[in-house]
Each structure stands twice: as C-alpha cells, then as structure tokens.
Amino acid sequence: MAEGYKLSPTRPAPWNDPRWRGALWQILTLALIVWLAWHAVDNAIVNMRARNIPTDFSFWNQPAGFDISQTLVSFSSASSTYGRAFLVGLLNTLVVAVLSIAVATIIGFIIGIARLSDNWIVARLAGVYVEVIRNTPLLLQLLFWYNAVLKAMPGPRESISFPGGIFLNNRGLVLPEPQLAPGFEWVAGGVLLALLGALIFKVWASRKQGTTGARYHAWPVLIGLLIVLAGGAVFWQGTPVTFTLPELRGFNFTGARINPEFVALVLGLSLYAAAFIAEIVRAGVSAVPRGQTEAGEAIGLSRGDVLRLVVIPQALRIIVPPLTNQYLNLIKNSSLGVFIGYPDLVQIFMGTVLNQTGAAVQIVSITMAVYLVISLVTSLAMNLYARRIALKER
C-alpha cells in the first residue's frame, strides 16, 4: 500500500443512517400533528357556523350592557364594550393575585419561623395553624370568610363606626373618598425621587459594606429625602389630597368602599397559601447548618441579626423554587372567587360575556392564554431572582 494512502469511511445510505431516519420520523410526526390540529379547527368552525355560534372576535367591540361592582378603570354599562369588561376583569384578577402573594409571603415567613421558636406555645400554635389550614379545602375557607364572617356583619344603618369616618357593614368597608387637589403631581414626584435616592444609597451602601464591612442604613436617608422633597412640595403647593367623609343616603353609604367579596378572597387565598409557605420556610431555615448560626453569634450578632443577615439569605436558595410553585397555585386559585361573586376575569369574561355572546371557544381560549402568560411571567421573575441569589462558584 502506498505511503500516505488512507481508506475513507463508507457513508451509509440515507435510509440506513439513524440521524436521517430520526429526522424523517420527526418531520412525519409534526406533519401529522399539524394535520390533526387543522382538521379539528376546521371541523369546529363548520359545526359552530351550522349552529350560529360566533367564530370571530367581532363581539369584542360590542356594548357590554351590564354593570360591574368593582372597577379600577372607568366602566359604563351603556357605553363600555366587552373588551373593556375583559380589561376590568383582568385588573381585578391581578390586584387580588399581587396583594394575596404579598400578604401570604409575610404571614408564611412569620409562621414558618414561629414553628422553629424555642417557645413551646408559639411553636405549637403555629403548628396548629399550618395543619388546620392546609387540610381544609380552600373553597370552604372562602365561603367561611364570606358567608360566616363578612356577611354576618350588621347592615348599613347599624354599621360599626371607627374614628376618621370609617364604617364597617355587610356591604364592605366604607372609607373617606380621596380627592386629588392641584399640585398632587409635584408631591408624587417628590416621593418618587425620594424612593429613587434611597435605592441608589442602598446600592452604594451594599457595595461599601462588601469592601469595608461598614454598615449604612437606608431608612434615615429615605425619611430625610421625603421630608425635603415631598414636604417641600406640600409646603409649596399645599395639601395634595382632600377627603370627603362618607354619608348614609338611603340604604347605603357614599364614599370609597372595599367590597366584602374582595376581602374574603384576599383573606382566604393569603391564609391558605401562607400555611404552605410556612412549611417551605421552616424546611429552608432548618436546612442551613447550625454552625452558621453559631458563627453569627460568635461575632456578636443578635439572634434577630443572625436570622436576617446569615440564615435567611442562605435559606432563600432553598425556599425560592418551591415558593414559586405556591405563587403559581395562588394565582390559579384566585379563579375560585367566582363562587363568592368577586368580579374577576373568570366571573366577568367566562361568565357574563360568554353567556351573552356565546363565543365559547374564543373566550375560553383567551382566558386560558391570560392565566398562562401570568404564570409564565411569574415563573420568569422568580427564576431571575433565584439566579441572582444563587451561590456563585469561583
């Protein structure tokens, strides 16, 4: 054999190459799935047209013709459209989800740490709370708060009054209605600038502590900036907000009102999710080695500082992944508000709008897509936070 001569490997035929066969089967499978989906959609459209069911989104701009008890944006039964009703329901759902997540997180962390307390009574009470709430259906808890607690309140004429023009009755919590005065934007701008300045100082203080070990608190800076900026705007422009006290007219009060449906839903979701979050927090804190606590105490930190500066930051790496799952469950469970009459996306869009238009496929698809997007955004935010606090290896 001549020097330098090499045998070239023989290539198998395409039908004998595993890579080609795998690609071919994937293409055929994808084509089959696309054909089945197209056939199902075409069949559904034909049947919907045969039964005079809408197949487009022309209903979106039609007048709604119904009222909504709680709206964060302007809504009129005479002039607002179904698309506006969708926006109202979406905002109501987001408000409940965000507020319930915040309240549930605070309560869950408190209960979870209380379960690890050396105080026997505190630890046992926290344990009872977790076991009772976790093992009771959420829907039953929502009905309890709505029917047994809030609806049992006295009527408007026998309302429970509080100082400052606040009244509590079975129709909700009535508060003085705020009225924005001229110059409010200056005061709001001062508050935003104060918050931005405190945030910048917080970032600088964190870097300074990392290099020198010196600790600087941001709250004195925030208070000082609020006094200078917001206080100066008030002194220059005058009172930015005035309040109109509620008055009993006929069978109800005038003024701003927090509906009992909203309170019952936030309470039920928050307390229910807090029980699961408490167990997650307890497990995360327990997973931090005892030596970390002893090291913090050895350098003179108090028990509160050890927990806040040493234990919790390490426990968060364990807590965040299952905590994300609880947040997603809470967001989806907010749809149970339809059982107590809360006007969320499901009650307004999949309830009233669906009954009036009959566009079931479009409305159900939009609602499912909205919950999917909210869940994906929540997961993305929590994953970014988990990546930020993850242990960096050098």
Side-chain angles (χ1 to χ4, degrees), residues 154-222:
R157 294 184 180 275
E158 295 80 24
S159 298
I160 303 172
S161 61
F162 298 93
I166 301 175
F167 299 90
L168 179 64
N169 53 58
N170 58 9
R171 297 188 181 181
L173 181 66
V174 185
L175 304 171
E177 187 172 3
Q179 304 290 337
L180 301 183
F184 171 80
E185 61 275 6
W186 289 97
V187 179
V191 173
L192 291 177
L193 288 176
L195 293 174
L196 179 60
L199 179 61
I200 294 174
F201 180 83
K202 179 67 175 177
V203 173
W204 174 85
S206 299
R207 294 178 179 176
K208 193 72 172 178
Q209 183 178 2
T211 56
T212 65
R215 292 179 58 190
Y216 298 92
H217 296 286
W219 62 266
V221 177
L222 176 60

